[in-house]
Amino acid sequence: MSRRKLNIGLFGFGVVGQGLYQLIQGVNYQDAVIRKVAVKDRSKPRSIPPTLITFDANDILEDESVDLIVEAIDDADEAYRLVSTAMQKGKPVVTANKKMLALYFKELLDLQLTTGTMFLYEAAVCGAIPVVRTLDNSFAFETIQSIRGIFNGTSNYILSKIFKERLDYALALKQAQDLGFAESDPTSDVGGFDAKYKAIILAKHAFGIVYHPKEVLNIGIDYLVGDDIAFARSKGWKIKLVPTLLNTQGKVSAFVLPTFVKPDDKLFDIEEELNAVILDTAYSGTHSFTGKGAGAFPTAFSVLNDIRSVLSSQPYLYQKDFIPFEKADLTEVKIEIYLRFKNPQVKEALAFESIREGFIAEGDEVIIGVTTLKKLLDCRAIIYADKSAVIGTGQVDVIKKKLQVSKLISTEV
Amino acid sequence: MSRRKLNIGLFGFGVVGQGLYQLIQGVNYQDAVIRKVAVKDRSKPRSIPPTLITFDANDILEDESVDLIVEAIDDADEAYRLVSTAMQKGKPVVTANKKMLALYFKELLDLQLTTGTMFLYEAAVCGAIPVVRTLDNSFAFETIQSIRGIFNGTSNYILSKIFKERLDYALALKQAQDLGFAESDPTSDVGGFDAKYKAIILAKHAFGIVYHPKEVLNIGIDYLVGDDIAFARSKGWKIKLVPTLLNTQGKVSAFVLPTFVKPDDKLFDIEEELNAVILDTAYSGTHSFTGKGAGAFPTAFSVLNDIRSVLSSQPYLYQKDFIPFEKADLTEVKIEIYLRFKNPQVKEALAFESIREGFIAEGDEVIIGVTTLKKLLDCRAIIYADKSAVIGTGQVDVIKKKLQVSKLISTEV
């Protein structure tokens, strides 16, 4: 490439797009320039020169002078269309779109292979935390035993307010929305979808496994009530929305659940919109990475790092692709949960194998017992229809060919 | 390079060398093999085939079939001789030797430039934490405002025992030695030298600055007494040995000091032999990385990652070399300390600009006041001769051309 600047075509001018535009100016970045910005809404005032703006995606996709695409729009399907077109045209893509990645991960990875076009997405997972690149670069020879974390700042902010300031869920959500942490439709955040998409991306880099979102259980914090909080508080615990990837002798389980977190857990003190990634490994022990999981500059920081990686020809290495990890049989993954329910069908459907505790809370029945990840995944709809609360206790057993491995994954080594 | 395995020549077969040997077998690493191991002590029994062992460094340095050197010996001067010879012969070097790096950093970096031979040292800083590579890769465009951390597991282990189990210094040191965390001569660890060497390495990657160890103040935990601990405890604080790199508008100060750490500080809960690196940045907020700072496998994990980087031709990028950070004038760095002393000369020499508090503790005088980093550096010998305690309060001001920037760096953002 000659010394002329790299021309960036930017799709979307929301939080990430504006952050990138300002960051490039703020750091006085010499090697790249935003050449064109495609936006949808013609009526919205924009803080950039009108000559930069287009309302037609093709103005970017078909512009030979555009060297690289930054995709930062909301719509996952439209994003996939744009990104795949760009890659087919040989334009490297940097994206922050976790939903697009999770929904079309296999297709996008295949496209990267067949086109040889670089495709980077550090900003899609935990904002500023450089976890994709670090997993990819520094953990090639390490056996990762589990990944847990706080991947969604919005729900963590809400839970922090509930536990620290004793706000109720609705008020804490309202505050998060007022501060711009939560969307007007908060389902993706509080329902655990956003955290799941990020876990799916990490599963590829940690285990070489591509999950479809349908295969991974996500239960959110949306139906937790005062009694669930009070139960946790009475034990000195907190509840966090914890995505988990668990490797049991090469079989990987993935799920997102509200989880009781004890004071000695590294996640206990991760508060408000902070994100964290905890890796337990075979040789090098426990690693923890924390940082800002969202926001204009933290996300743009990761996008800009990916742009630099394109410039210096550093694709992800996907070094786990040749190691035989596989998806666990979910019927073999025994998981202990706290279940608060009204409709006895929920309890029936989950077919508890053992029940450790049962009591009544505000007229609802509560059970703490062991079911399987398969049952939970199959029952998500009736759990939500009942507005049941499901909270993991951190106890997950994987039964395999008479071998039982018991893991209390929240315990520090 | 053909598909034959990379041949490693290993200098030293202590903790790191043995860890690497076992790790390569444990992860069934296919791309490299340890071809020869040079050791000094002919009488020590070794757990490897005698055909691998040599007592003559030249057997490795002059062996054309050796592709890469791993240097893991104790002696910094001898290590420098071996490493520089290897680089001149075009053999890439991976090292864990922080003392050699700090003492000969400029020479080694120059040699890397002139010979074009790759030279990597992730394992030298905080064991398993991939902080050098992460700084190098992901923080190229970020302005780092400060780096603080726990870089020395031994002194942190001792301080943890003192604060948690109320052991006295001598007993805690003895325990650390019995567990293999501390050397028989613990000066490098408890005197803050080891932490300083690591800070010096990070200064290059965070600010493009090369310090000589003589330029950087290190005061250790070796003369803390019960009253110093009691003072911290009475406030609800702990004392940690904290290396600090502080960027005040492009002027960088570096020092290692025992420091009062408050409960809201990310370092407060970093206990025992755990290491931590906290980056405060201009755009992406606060990042924290924690992990095992020492031990055979955690260190070998980093060495093996560097070997992989040699194989895939990924040298460090040193992206801060072209940004005009410079060393602060130490006479302009005002630092508030707790000083417990017997000899009034210590107080006189430090020429306090202001004194906030003064009292008597076990017959010694204690002053909390402001001096300069220059005075502290100049007075290290008389501070040590007096067995004075110096503990930073976390308050550092940098005065520059009538401009005063006040930083309470231990406070969370």
Side-chain angles (χ1 to χ4, degrees), chain B residues 337-341 346-347 350 352 365-367 388-390:
Chain B
I337 59 166
Y338 162 111
L339 171 75
R340 184 184 44 70
F341 63 100
V346 179
K347 176 184 168 185
L350 284 171
F352 284 90
E365 201 176 333
V366 174
I367 279 172
S388 300
V390 174

Side-chain angles (χ1 to χ4, degrees), chain A residues 23 26-27 29 128 130 137-139 141-142 269 283-291 297 301 305 308 314 317 319, chain B residues 23 26-27 29 128 130 137-139 141-142 269 283-284 286-291 297 301 305 308 314 317 319:
Chain A
L23 184 62
V27 302
Y29 188 45
N137 251 331
S138 298
F139 288 82
F141 306 115
E142 183 54 280
D269 289 322
Y283 295 100
S284 59
T286 301
H287 297 255
S288 123
F289 308 96
T290 74
F297 283 146
F301 158 82
N305 278 319
R308 186 199 58 72
Q314 292 180 291
L317 302 170
Q319 305 206 55
Chain B
L23 184 63
V27 302
Y29 188 44
N137 251 332
S138 299
F139 288 82
F141 307 115
E142 182 55 280
D269 288 322
Y283 294 100
S284 59
T286 301
H287 296 256
S288 122
F289 307 96
T290 72
F297 283 147
F301 158 83
N305 278 320
R308 187 200 59 72
Q314 292 179 291
L317 302 170
Q319 305 206 56

Side-chain angles (χ1 to χ4, degrees), chain B residues 49-352:
Chain B
T51 50
L52 282 181
I53 294 176
T54 174
F55 302 99
D56 181 357
N58 289 326
D59 280 353
I60 289 178
L61 291 171
E62 287 166 14
D63 184 340
E64 296 280 325
S65 73
V66 168
D67 305 300
L68 178 147
I69 300 294
V70 173
E71 182 282 306
I73 69 173
D74 273 344
D75 180 333
D77 297 315
E78 173 67 2
Y80 173 63
R81 199 188 61 76
L82 297 171
V83 165
S84 53
T85 306
M87 287 172 74
Q88 273 151 353
K89 288 177 182 288
K91 293 189 198 297
V93 171
V94 172
T95 179
N97 199 323
K98 53 225 71 163
K99 186 175 180 184
M100 172 192 72
L101 283 159
L103 283 174
Y104 298 100
F105 211 11
K106 187 177 179 316
E107 291 81 353
L108 289 165
L109 293 167
D110 286 349
L111 202 55
Q112 181 172 226
L113 270 184
T114 54
T115 62
T117 307
M118 220 189 292
F119 173 57
L120 301 174
Y121 40 81
E122 181 68 79
V125 186
C126 298
I129 304 178
V131 59
V132 176
R133 182 62 72 178
T134 302
L135 267 178
D136 207 71
N137 251 332
S138 299
F139 288 82
F141 307 115
E142 182 55 280
T143 303
I144 291 168
Q145 293 169 328
S146 70
I147 299 184
R148 302 164 63 240
I150 306 291
F151 293 0
N152 182 265
T154 305
S155 44
N156 203 54
Y157 179 88
I158 292 170
L159 290 168
S160 285
K161 291 291 163 184
I162 290 174
F163 273 84
K164 284 167 79 173
E165 299 175 18
R166 295 178 177 257
L167 299 192
D168 70 9
Y169 175 79
L171 191 58
L173 172 61
K174 175 76 169 49
Q175 278 196 5
Q177 285 170 328
D178 290 347
L179 284 164
F181 293 144
E183 308 289 325
S184 51
D185 176 5
T187 310
S188 179
D189 292 323
V190 299
F193 292 92
D194 175 82
K196 174 165 83 170
Y197 301 148
K198 293 166 180 169
I200 286 173
I201 298 167
L202 292 187
K204 174 68 178 170
H205 291 270
F207 303 110
I209 290 177
V210 177
Y211 283 104
H212 190 276
K214 282 182 191 163
E215 297 176 283
V216 179
L217 171 71
N218 63 300
I219 288 179
I221 62 168
D222 22 12
Y223 291 123
L224 299 183
V225 299
D227 267 26
D228 309 324
I229 309 299
F231 177 82
R233 204 179 259 132
S234 73
K235 307 273 187 183
W237 305 340
K238 294 177 185 168
I239 300 169
K240 299 278 184 190
L241 183 62
V242 182
T244 300
L245 296 165
L246 181 62
N247 164 23
T248 310
Q249 305 189 314
K251 308 283 182 184
V252 178
S253 333
F255 52 92
V256 177
L257 272 185
T259 303
F260 294 121
V261 168
K262 296 172 188 165
D264 65 351
D265 191 309
K266 281 186 197 304
L267 299 181
F268 192 81
D269 288 322
I270 306 297
E271 296 292 7
E272 310 211 332
E273 72 275 26
L274 201 65
N275 277 23
V277 185
I278 314 289
L279 307 179
D280 271 310
T281 72
Y283 294 100
S284 59
T286 301
H287 296 256
S288 122
F289 307 96
T290 72
K292 285 193 189 288
F297 283 147
T299 310
F301 158 83
S302 284
V303 169
L304 191 56
N305 278 320
D306 278 349
I307 292 172
R308 187 200 59 72
S309 297
V310 170
L311 269 165
S312 50
S313 300
Q314 292 179 291
Y316 297 141
L317 302 170
Y318 302 100
Q319 305 206 56
K320 302 293 185 182
D321 282 10
F322 311 103
I323 297 167
F325 292 105
E326 49 186 67
K327 296 172 191 173
D329 178 343
L330 299 191
T331 64
E332 291 172 349
V333 182
K334 315 281 180 184
I335 183 162
E336 191 182 71
I337 59 166
Y338 162 111
L339 171 75
R340 184 184 44 70
F341 63 100
K342 291 187 201 305
N343 185 343
Q345 280 190 325
V346 179
K347 176 184 168 185
E348 252 167 66
L350 284 171
F352 284 90

Side-chain angles (χ1 to χ4, degrees), chain B residues 22-33:
Chain B
Q22 288 173 41
L23 184 63
I24 285 178
Q25 295 179 315
V27 302
N28 194 20
Y29 188 44
Q30 297 296 322
D31 295 336
V33 63

Side-chain angles (χ1 to χ4, degrees), chain B residues 4-9 32-35 65-69:
Chain B
R4 85 170 169 77
K5 291 190 176 195
L6 183 95
N7 284 321
I8 299 169
V33 63
I34 293 181
R35 188 178 165 83
S65 73
V66 168
D67 305 300
L68 178 147
I69 300 294

Side-chain angles (χ1 to χ4, degrees), chain A residues 133-178:
Chain A
R133 182 61 73 181
T134 302
L135 267 178
D136 208 70
N137 251 331
S138 298
F139 288 82
F141 306 115
E142 183 54 280
T143 302
I144 291 168
Q145 293 168 328
S146 72
I147 300 183
R148 301 163 64 242
I150 306 292
F151 292 1
N152 182 265
T154 304
S155 43
N156 202 55
Y157 179 88
I158 291 170
L159 290 169
S160 285
K161 290 290 162 185
I162 290 174
F163 274 84
K164 284 167 78 174
E165 299 174 18
R166 295 179 177 257
L167 299 191
D168 69 10
Y169 175 78
L171 190 59
L173 171 61
K174 174 77 169 49
Q175 278 196 5
Q177 285 170 328
D178 290 348

